[in-house]
Amino acid sequence: MNPYIRRIKELSKKMDPEILAEVEAGFVEKEYAKGSLLLQVGQICTSHFLVQSGVARKFYCHSNKEITTEIYFHDDVAISLDSYIMKKPSDVYLEALSPLKVMVIDYKRFQKVSEKYPEVMILDKMFIEYYAVWFEKKLKEFQTLDATTRYLAMLEKEPRIIQYLPVTIIASYLNISLETLSRIRSKITA
Amino acid sequence: MNPYIRRIKELSKKMDPEILAEVEAGFVEKEYAKGSLLLQVGQICTSHFLVQSGVARKFYCHSNKEITTEIYFHDDVAISLDSYIMKKPSDVYLEALSPLKVMVIDYKRFQKVSEKYPEVMILDKMFIEYYAVWFEKKLKEFQTLDATTRYLAMLEKEPRIIQYLPVTIIASYLNISLETLSRIRSKITA
DNA sequence: TTGATTATTTGACTCAGGTCAAATTTCCGT
DNA sequence: ACGGAAATTTGACCTGAGTCAAATAATCAA
């Protein structure tokens, strides 16, 4: 996702500085310890979390297993979209996987600014558009690629993931078992 | 998707009738014969197609196989999101599965109105938000449910699909083979 | 450094769902 | 109503990936 966020960031630089200042006045910096939760299941997600430094993930539990659906690095935005949009309790966790620094962007406050300035709303809309496109692509990956190919695609497109994260989480992100991931790796290296 | 579209429709009724008229002035009704394409692979998608009557689908080809990703009935919106948003050639087809009547909503024209009236842009944004949420849910389904459960979920939530469509398309929508679908059906009926 | 705990790999086995081929049913056009 | 094409079902077989269990390897606290 983060090339998209960067694009939005760039566009925001072209905005009237006063408006930009008003937007950014609503950003609050916050830190989380490794392992702590930015969002609990059951909580309603009322903010975007823009990652400044560190790593985080989104995951949910299904038959005693954790499934990681997104991994966030610098300039990624962590959010439980379903909860945020539908204003209903989240069915996913957002967790810091390292000491984490984020900008918290509060929904209500941002909403107000966004309704005042169309150019802000356009960027907000752009964020969701990119998110939707990203999901469509992920879905396609699961529909068409087998485990090995998904792993290779990840190596190629998101190499930071293998550099920083334990196998448990990588496997759950690829939606395969630990053992299968291990076998894929040894096959590749050989 | 269509409960979401209905919600947007309802909200649009509360809008200033003059604005609404301006929006709707950009809608063009169009008809397609069964089997014809609303959008070709390679073409850039510049409109939303709001289905009035009939059935359509989105699909793409992968190793000589067609994979159907969305099926549209009355009040659904057919669109190649990736192409539309990123302004790049589509990698999916949109096809009429029956005689089809749609409202064509042209991107450029709508965009202009939308930038003029924030209340219009909000509805536009809402459309994408719902779309993203829907994709997130679909992805979760593929990650957690086996073929039989996916079929049962479809029966439950999208019963029109089995009523109107040939098995080939249903199977490709569930991302399983024809034969597997056939086996699932006979197991269920028994 | 060492022992204990946790993470990763390897092995043996199972199973959901795929493939290919053949049989059967359904659907039309004439 | 009949014959042929297309759709659907059934059978035999195979394979990717899961599970459970055991073996190694890595990590870390004292």
Side-chain angles (χ1 to χ4, degrees):
Chain A
M1 265 304 280
N2 67 72
Y4 296 149
I5 303 294
R6 290 212 187 98
R7 194 162 156 195
I8 292 173
K9 260 189 166 177
E10 263 170 52
L11 290 172
S12 75
K13 280 178 198 149
K14 292 176 192 155
M15 240 174 11
D16 176 346
E18 280 190 29
I19 298 179
L20 186 57
E22 198 171 330
V23 171
E24 288 180 345
F27 293 9
V28 176
E29 188 160 323
K30 199 161 172 187
E31 299 195 13
Y32 290 87
K34 176 174 176 171
S36 60
L37 296 173
L38 324 207
L39 183 77
Q40 268 279 4
V41 160
Q43 233 177 298
I44 292 180
C45 181
T46 58
S47 10
H48 291 67
F49 301 94
L50 174 59
V51 175
Q52 306 285 76
S53 67
V55 195
R57 67 161 173 160
K58 177 189 286 181
F59 73 98
Y60 61 87
C61 295
H62 183 260
S63 47
N64 318 322
K65 222 170 282 171
E66 291 181 0
I67 300 182
T68 301
T69 50
E70 282 165 66
I71 294 174
Y72 308 105
F73 294 96
H74 174 59
D75 269 351
D76 282 324
V77 172
I79 182 177
S80 165
L81 201 70
D82 185 36
S83 168
Y84 182 86
I85 301 293
M86 308 307 279
K87 282 141 190 57
K88 66 172 207 187
S90 172
D91 47 15
V92 298
Y93 298 88
L94 296 176
E95 180 195 23
L97 293 174
S98 74
L100 188 75
K101 217 175 275 183
V102 296
M103 280 299 190
V104 182
I105 302 168
D106 177 69
Y107 161 73
K108 277 191 188 155
R109 185 148 180 185
F110 183 78
Q111 178 109 333
K112 266 179 216 149
V113 185
S114 160
E115 282 175 28
K116 205 156 102 191
Y117 305 109
E119 54 267 59
V120 175
M121 201 191 291
I122 287 180
L123 294 188
D124 184 26
K125 199 181 94 180
M126 209 176 257
F127 168 72
I128 319 241
E129 286 173 344
Y130 290 154
Y131 210 163
V133 168
W134 153 274
F135 265 119
E136 197 175 21
K137 207 186 293 172
K138 266 221 107 176
L139 182 58
K140 190 172 177 178
E141 259 185 46
F142 275 104
Q143 286 177 332
T144 55
L145 308 180
D146 64 15
T148 307
T149 319
R150 288 206 304 277
Y151 177 72
L152 292 173
M154 196 199 66
L155 274 195
E156 166 105 15
K157 294 184 303 180
E158 307 172 277
R160 286 175 301 179
I161 289 177
I162 33 147
Q163 280 159 32
Y164 296 114
L165 301 178
V167 187
T168 328
I169 288 178
I170 300 174
S172 88
Y173 183 62
L174 293 168
N175 204 30
I176 60 182
S177 70
L178 267 187
E179 295 92 331
T180 298
L181 176 54
S182 175
R183 285 180 184 114
I184 288 171
R185 297 183 103 160
S186 64
K187 196 177 19 156
I188 305 277
T189 327
Chain B
M1 266 302 281
N2 66 73
Y4 296 150
I5 304 293
R6 290 212 188 100
R7 192 163 157 194
I8 292 173
K9 260 190 167 178
E10 263 171 51
L11 290 171
S12 75
K13 281 179 197 148
K14 291 176 192 155
M15 240 175 10
D16 176 346
E18 278 190 31
I19 299 178
L20 186 57
E22 199 171 327
V23 171
E24 288 181 344
F27 293 9
V28 176
E29 187 160 323
K30 200 163 171 186
E31 299 194 15
Y32 290 88
K34 176 174 176 171
S36 61
L37 295 173
L38 325 206
L39 184 78
Q40 267 281 1
V41 159
Q43 233 177 298
I44 292 180
C45 181
T46 58
S47 11
H48 290 68
F49 301 93
L50 174 60
V51 175
Q52 307 285 76
S53 67
V55 195
R57 66 161 173 161
K58 177 189 286 182
F59 72 98
Y60 61 87
C61 296
H62 183 260
S63 48
N64 317 324
K65 222 170 283 175
E66 291 182 0
I67 300 183
T68 302
T69 51
E70 282 165 66
I71 295 174
Y72 309 105
F73 293 96
H74 175 60
D75 268 350
D76 283 324
V77 172
I79 182 177
S80 165
L81 200 71
D82 186 36
S83 169
Y84 182 88
I85 301 293
M86 309 308 279
K87 281 140 189 57
K88 67 172 207 187
S90 171
D91 47 14
V92 298
Y93 298 87
L94 296 176
E95 180 195 24
L97 293 174
S98 74
L100 187 75
K101 217 175 273 183
V102 296
M103 279 299 190
V104 181
I105 302 169
D106 178 67
Y107 160 73
K108 276 190 188 157
R109 186 150 180 183
F110 183 77
Q111 178 110 333
K112 264 178 216 148
V113 185
S114 159
E115 281 174 29
K116 205 155 101 191
Y117 307 108
E119 55 267 59
V120 175
M121 200 190 292
I122 286 181
L123 294 188
D124 185 26
K125 202 182 92 183
M126 208 176 259
F127 169 71
I128 320 241
E129 286 173 344
Y130 290 153
Y131 210 162
V133 167
W134 153 274
F135 265 118
E136 197 176 20
K137 205 186 293 173
K138 266 219 108 175
L139 183 58
K140 190 172 178 179
E141 259 185 46
F142 275 104
Q143 286 176 332
T144 56
L145 308 181
D146 64 14
T148 307
T149 320
R150 287 206 304 280
Y151 177 71
L152 291 173
M154 196 199 67
L155 274 195
E156 165 104 15
K157 294 185 302 180
E158 307 173 277
R160 286 175 302 179
I161 290 177
I162 32 146
Q163 280 159 30
Y164 295 114
L165 301 178
V167 186
T168 327
I169 288 179
I170 300 175
S172 88
Y173 182 63
L174 293 168
N175 205 29
I176 60 182
S177 69
L178 266 187
E179 296 90 333
T180 298
L181 177 55
S182 175
R183 285 181 183 112
I184 288 172
R185 296 183 103 162
S186 64
K187 195 179 16 157
I188 305 277
T189 327

